Amino acid sequence: MTVEGQGGTPAAGVPAPQAVLEASEPSATFLVATVNEGGEERVRGLLPKLASLVRAVRSRAPGSRLSCIVGIGCDAWDRLFTGPPPAQLHPFREVAGEGRRAISTPADLLFHIRATSSDLCFELAAEIVRSIQGAATVQDEVIGFKYFGELNMLGFADGTENPTGQAASDAVLVGSEDRRHAGGAYVVVQKYLHDLASWNALTVEQQQRIIGRTKTSNIELDGENQAPDSHVALNKVIGPDGAEQQILRFNMPFGSAARGEYGTYFIGYARSPAVIEQMLRNMFLGTASASYDKILDFSRAVTGALFFAPSTTFLDNLPGPGDPGQWVTLPHPAATGAGSLHIGSLRRVHSE
């Protein structure tokens, strides 16, 4: 469910920042899907009905705070809608360093489902999948959960530096720079798998140096104690005005004991994807003072996608459908790389 942001600004499928602070939900489901050729109209039909679908499921458990944020990828946007797409929407840009790679995987739709309990997330996910059965193919489903409060699988608190109040609105919601899509937000998702055996072989001091925070008290290291290649240091992006640029993170742990799978689902919302893209370049390629983020010696990205979450106003008043006749099937840019799902994508054939 989407709500209105502060000052009545539609919050684009991104819950109003204050509501997010009040509802740090312990359960989440992430669905990433691709739109099948010919399935565009069926997918369009779901979008304006999604809010009522959330209300129907949520009515079975009042107080569950069930919500769903929908994001749309670059390859699908013009297939679904007429008119110009969000100004900064593009395919996820891979970043590859020596032995490290932030890969791009096929993704047209994102459904970020959150609630106080996993049964509500599951029920809504099942209803969404049934609604688009045959029109879209689910490429990835991740069940996220709270892990000893706010900890990630590495044992450190996650997302504690999220901005609040008006600062959160300013960091996340598109404004007058793209009036057609004002109130929307860009969303980047990545699924990381952790080598916990190697990580747990480190001392607490070594882990803290890599992260840049203390493990028990979550206090950021300062001065000479903060290594330039720490995760904290490399994720600080300074804007032209000298201020740190912010995003909203709603990362969730996930895993499978039977498969020995321990992971973090990164999901970041931002007014501009350039902020998250700079963070990824810092992590994977390093900076003038750091070679790369040493957390990547223990964490591997296995998916990567960029979406735009439209405002509630946009979803309630969809523009006309796109023209499928302007599309041809082309290889996905990641189709030749390791870890790709090897799925083609539909791209617009532009006339000169």
Side-chain angles (χ1 to χ4, degrees), residues 70-106:
V70 60
I72 300 162
C74 175
D75 288 350
W77 192 275
D78 284 343
R79 295 170 59 193
L80 297 173
F81 314 119
T82 56
Q88 298 186 62
L89 184 60
H90 52 258
F92 181 88
R93 292 168 177 162
E94 292 194 355
V95 184
E98 185 176 348
R100 304 169 300 279
R101 185 177 175 211
I103 70 169
S104 170
T105 46

Side-chain angles (χ1 to χ4, degrees), residues 13-182:
V14 180
Q18 188 59 43
V20 170
L21 294 176
E22 294 172 350
S24 181
E25 313 304 357
S27 299
T29 295
F30 305 93
L31 293 176
V32 172
T34 49
V35 180
N36 299 337
E37 188 170 0
E40 294 84 1
E41 194 56 37
R42 184 100 153 275
V43 170
R44 279 176 51 87
L46 169 65
L47 298 179
K49 297 177 183 177
L50 190 57
S52 62
L53 187 60
V54 172
R55 287 193 295 271
V57 175
R58 192 178 55 202
S59 68
R60 299 172 60 179
S64 64
R65 297 197 299 266
L66 178 67
S67 66
C68 181
I69 302 165
V70 60
I72 300 162
C74 175
D75 288 350
W77 192 275
D78 284 343
R79 295 170 59 193
L80 297 173
F81 314 119
T82 56
Q88 298 186 62
L89 184 60
H90 52 258
F92 181 88
R93 292 168 177 162
E94 292 194 355
V95 184
E98 185 176 348
R100 304 169 300 279
R101 185 177 175 211
I103 70 169
S104 170
T105 46
D108 292 332
L109 302 170
L110 166 71
F111 298 96
H112 179 192
I113 303 169
R114 306 190 313 149
T116 54
S117 60
S118 58
D119 55 343
L120 272 293
C121 293
F122 177 84
E123 184 67 16
L124 181 57
E127 291 293 343
I128 289 171
V129 171
R130 280 193 284 268
S131 296
I132 58 175
Q133 191 75 40
T137 301
V138 176
Q139 300 295 338
D140 195 29
E141 178 185 24
V142 174
I143 309 301
F145 49 83
K146 289 289 185 181
Y147 186 67
F148 297 103
E150 300 297 327
L151 299 184
N152 58 29
M153 287 289 186
L154 301 179
F156 285 77
D158 203 354
T160 58
E161 291 299 313
N162 274 345
T164 61
Q166 188 58 46
S169 294
D170 293 341
V172 168
L173 302 182
V174 171
S176 60
E177 71 274 16
D178 188 3
R179 291 188 181 278
R180 178 180 174 86
H181 299 290

